[in-house]
Amino acid sequence: MMEAKLLIQETTVVVFVLGGPGSGKGTQCPKIVEHFGFTHLCAGDLLQAEIESESENGTMIHNFKKEGKIVPSEITVKLLQQAMQQSDNNRFIIDGFPRNEENRAAFENIVKIKPEFVLFFDCPEEELTRRILNRNQGRVDDNIETIGKRLKVYFESTLPVINYYNSKGKVQKIDAQRSVNEVFEDVKSVFAKFKPVVRVDSTK
């Protein structure tokens, strides 16, 4: 691999997308991709893909998850870095990351990029619980007890990251309690400086 390929361009733009489970990140990210030409990276999806590839790294990630342990930040960050290096785009939204302070520090140390801003979908706990219960009837991880645990992790681990970036003036807070279209109108205002892209269909 050429050395140049290992470097992420200085013009690269990264936006972290954060919010509790059920806050609408998964609905809004594809709209940002379509409208503003960003590439959508999801740390969870990259970890899952690595597990399915059955690489040595994938086996290690699988074992961490099986034991209920958090995958070390360095592994997650390097997967994100690799995905960015392999993309021909230089605009990225990273969904559901950083989940904690360790993730945040590892990303800045390894990738050497600070986010342009953090898109924060703000939604109260009761509304998040209601949405998760409604959206996936019958899913194992969507019972009240498990939802409570997921929300606890979010409030204890991810909110400090949002507060950190807020202290740096980098958080764009969106009221996520409204309809999908109303929320996206606010999102569009936040991304207004990135001109909407006209994409040419490059069918391979």
Side-chain angles (χ1 to χ4, degrees):
M1 189 187 280
M2 286 169 58
E3 189 63 30
K5 187 64 182 163
L6 294 171
L7 299 170
I8 289 173
Q9 305 165 46
E10 284 183 16
T11 54
T12 296
V13 172
V14 169
V15 172
F16 291 145
V17 182
L18 295 173
S23 60
K25 300 188 304 295
T27 304
Q28 296 294 331
C29 283
K31 289 176 168 289
I32 297 167
V33 168
E34 187 185 352
H35 206 79
F36 294 100
F38 277 67
T39 291
H40 177 202
L41 297 179
C42 174
D45 291 350
L46 291 172
L47 288 168
Q48 190 55 40
E50 193 68 18
I51 290 171
E52 286 166 13
S53 76
E54 297 184 346
S55 66
E56 197 178 324
N57 215 10
T59 307
M60 185 167 56
I61 293 164
H62 176 70
N63 291 336
F64 273 111
K65 289 195 153 192
K66 196 169 66 176
E67 290 165 22
K69 294 178 181 170
I70 289 176
V71 177
S73 295
E74 188 177 340
I75 293 176
T76 307
V77 169
K78 287 197 168 159
L79 287 175
L80 286 166
Q81 184 182 36
Q82 193 179 12
M84 290 166 73
Q85 287 164 346
Q86 288 169 353
S87 171
D88 54 5
N89 198 354
N90 67 342
R91 295 174 169 187
F92 299 94
I93 45 172
I94 302 183
D95 171 8
F97 181 93
R99 291 181 67 176
N100 53 38
E101 276 290 307
E102 192 196 347
N103 278 178
R104 178 193 67 71
F107 187 87
E108 292 190 4
N109 289 337
I110 294 169
V111 184
K112 309 278 189 233
I113 286 181
K114 289 183 165 44
E116 185 79 10
F117 57 85
V118 174
L119 187 64
F120 170 38
F121 290 109
D122 187 26
C123 200
E125 189 170 353
E126 313 75 67
E127 176 65 10
L128 293 174
T129 304
R130 188 188 67 76
R131 286 182 182 182
I132 300 169
L133 283 172
N134 283 349
R135 76 182 177 187
N136 285 333
Q137 297 294 339
R139 244 181 61 173
V140 179
D141 60 347
D142 279 344
N143 60 59
I144 280 285
E145 190 184 338
T146 315
I147 292 167
K149 285 180 185 166
R150 285 169 69 197
L151 288 171
K152 186 169 184 280
V153 168
Y154 162 69
F155 284 110
E156 287 179 0
S157 300
T158 310
L159 270 186
V161 176
I162 293 164
N163 292 335
Y164 168 84
Y165 282 119
N166 199 32
S167 74
K168 307 277 181 196
K170 280 185 173 277
V171 172
Q172 297 284 352
K173 186 159 90 167
I174 305 280
D175 176 3
Q177 292 188 77
R178 297 156 308 147
S179 73
V180 170
N181 289 340
E182 286 174 313
V183 170
F184 190 56
E185 284 307 312
D186 276 7
V187 171
K188 281 199 289 195
S189 304
V190 169
F191 278 85
K193 68 174 175 179
F194 304 107
K195 298 287 178 280
V197 287
V198 180
R199 282 191 157 173
V200 182
D201 185 19
S202 53
T203 22
K204 291 176 184 172

